[in-house]
Amino acid sequence: MSTGSSAQRRRVTVAGRRLSLSNLDKQMYPATGMTKADVQEYLRAVAPVMVPHLRGRPVTRKRWPDGVGTAESPMKPFFRKALEDSAPDWVPRIDQQHQDHTTTYPLVDDEAVLAWFGQVAALELHVPQWRVDDAGDPQPPDRMVLDLDPGDGSDLRDCAQVARWCAELLDGMALTGIPVTSGSAGVHLYAALDGSRTSPEVSAVAQGLAQALEKEHPDQVVSRMDRSARRGKVFIDWSQNSRSKTTVAPYSLRGRPRPTVAAPRTWEELEDPDLRQLECDEVLRRVADGLDPLQGLSDSDAVA
């Protein structure tokens, strides 16, 4: 990305696309001083590892136009599904039919679209587990995700233990689980699929796995949606495999007081007794060092 020498320079070229950026000195994360320009630099650096997990998936954005605020005084975000009227004409897009309306979503095919998302303060990018084909038609899911969320009295280390149990069951299905600390409270566990199963079928498999673990570890795991049942346990949210649901994308920033990231992790890292969510500067160093635990998740040789 070429911006010239000034953080306030507005006309930039990103991946051969011309883009107008503004308010680059605005603090998006006041707790760390991270500015809009810093967000742009983060997106530029992670684009090679992030775009493969976004490509072909309609993107729902969670936007913080005035930054995230502070822990004491958080700013309210808003979700945006429909493509903004201000979007450059080169942003790829796809129409998706809902029950009573059609929504035009943006698609991501390169770093330039990420830069535009940064311009509109779309800090969180949420996508489904399926892609569209070249004709714009939704395809079967190419991955399964389990969202492990700690209830009151549980923590990230408890989620890591449940992730290991989930991975053991996935291994029995000839699936390889890859963990992502969510940047919020828990862990996302991904497994690549070959596209031979429908979203309802994948959801049923994920629900069955969650119920099996709840039965085996009733004091640590819950699979029911009832929030009152989650205290002291880890909730395995299998429902994000529904065709209508989305999950925050790997490498997405989170709208927390500090710039945490949905960060792909190794299984060895999940053994760390001091396991915590990673922030963007740490993720940048990992990417620069060539560490990408999710590399290959979107490969076409995944098993059923």
Side-chain angles (χ1 to χ4, degrees):
M1 178 171 67
S2 173
T3 62
S5 60
S6 171
Q8 280 301 292
R9 195 179 299 274
R10 297 191 176 194
R11 296 298 297 176
V12 300
T13 300
V14 184
R17 302 288 192 179
R18 295 289 291 168
L19 182 64
S20 178
L21 303 180
S22 60
N23 300 317
L24 290 174
D25 61 349
K26 178 182 289 185
Q27 289 202 1
M28 303 305 293
Y29 293 89
T32 65
M34 186 175 182
T35 65
K36 199 172 179 182
D38 296 326
V39 169
Q40 289 288 345
E41 287 304 307
Y42 173 79
L43 292 173
R44 177 199 59 78
V46 300
V49 293
M50 186 179 189
V51 169
H53 302 295
L54 295 170
R55 186 175 286 117
R57 304 183 197 275
V59 181
T60 296
R61 288 84 62 217
K62 197 172 182 181
R63 294 175 49 184
W64 279 263
D66 297 313
V68 301
T70 64
E72 298 75 20
S73 183
M75 301 299 292
K76 275 193 171 183
F78 65 93
F79 272 100
R80 177 81 184 197
K81 295 184 177 182
L83 182 66
E84 287 82 352
D85 293 339
S86 61
D89 58 10
W90 45 258
V91 174
R93 58 205 71 192
I94 188 69
D95 291 337
Q96 291 295 296
Q97 182 64 48
H98 298 284
Q99 189 171 14
D100 58 356
H101 66 283
T102 298
T103 300
T104 300
Y105 289 85
L107 298 172
V108 175
D109 60 359
D110 61 21
E111 175 189 335
V113 183
L114 289 183
W116 181 72
F117 286 158
Q119 164 58 21
V120 297
L123 299 179
E124 292 190 9
L125 308 179
H126 295 248
V127 292
Q129 315 317 321
W130 48 269
R131 304 175 189 265
V132 296
D133 63 15
D134 291 341
D137 296 322
Q139 299 301 293
D142 61 353
R143 65 191 190 191
M144 176 194 296
V145 65
L146 299 169
D147 180 4
L148 312 181
D149 187 27
D152 290 342
S154 294
D155 59 21
L156 186 59
R157 290 172 297 177
D158 297 314
C159 291
Q161 176 58 69
V162 174
R164 289 189 286 270
W165 291 335
C166 289
E168 291 173 1
L169 293 186
L170 289 171
D171 186 63
M173 304 176 196
L175 295 173
T176 300
I178 307 174
V180 172
T181 45
S182 70
S184 180
V187 173
H188 297 158
L189 189 62
Y190 286 94
L193 304 174
D194 67 358
S196 65
R197 296 176 177 175
T198 66
S199 291
E201 290 172 334
V202 175
S203 291
V205 170
Q207 183 180 16
L209 184 153
Q211 290 173 336
L213 281 179
E214 181 179 23
K215 184 176 181 179
E216 186 174 351
H217 304 281
D219 295 331
Q220 292 89 18
V221 175
V222 62
S223 66
R224 292 164 286 155
M225 298 292 175
D226 184 359
R227 289 189 175 274
S228 65
R230 301 181 192 179
R231 182 169 182 80
K233 301 180 182 181
V234 173
F235 171 51
I236 303 179
D237 185 358
W238 48 268
S239 71
Q240 294 190 31
N241 297 285
S242 168
R243 187 184 179 282
S244 62
K245 293 291 189 68
T246 61
T247 306
V248 69
Y251 292 104
S252 174
L253 289 162
R254 301 306 303 263
R256 311 281 291 181
R258 299 185 66 87
T260 52
V261 172
R265 309 296 288 270
T266 65
W267 284 108
E268 290 76 16
E269 288 180 287
L270 261 64
E271 299 285 348
D272 188 342
D274 297 320
L275 179 67
R276 58 180 176 77
Q277 303 290 342
L278 296 183
E279 296 187 11
C280 63
D281 57 341
E282 298 169 296
V283 173
L284 288 175
R285 288 195 292 270
R286 292 160 68 89
V287 171
D289 290 341
L291 178 59
D292 179 20
L294 271 185
Q295 186 176 15
L297 177 69
S298 301
D299 287 353
S300 59
D301 59 354
V303 297

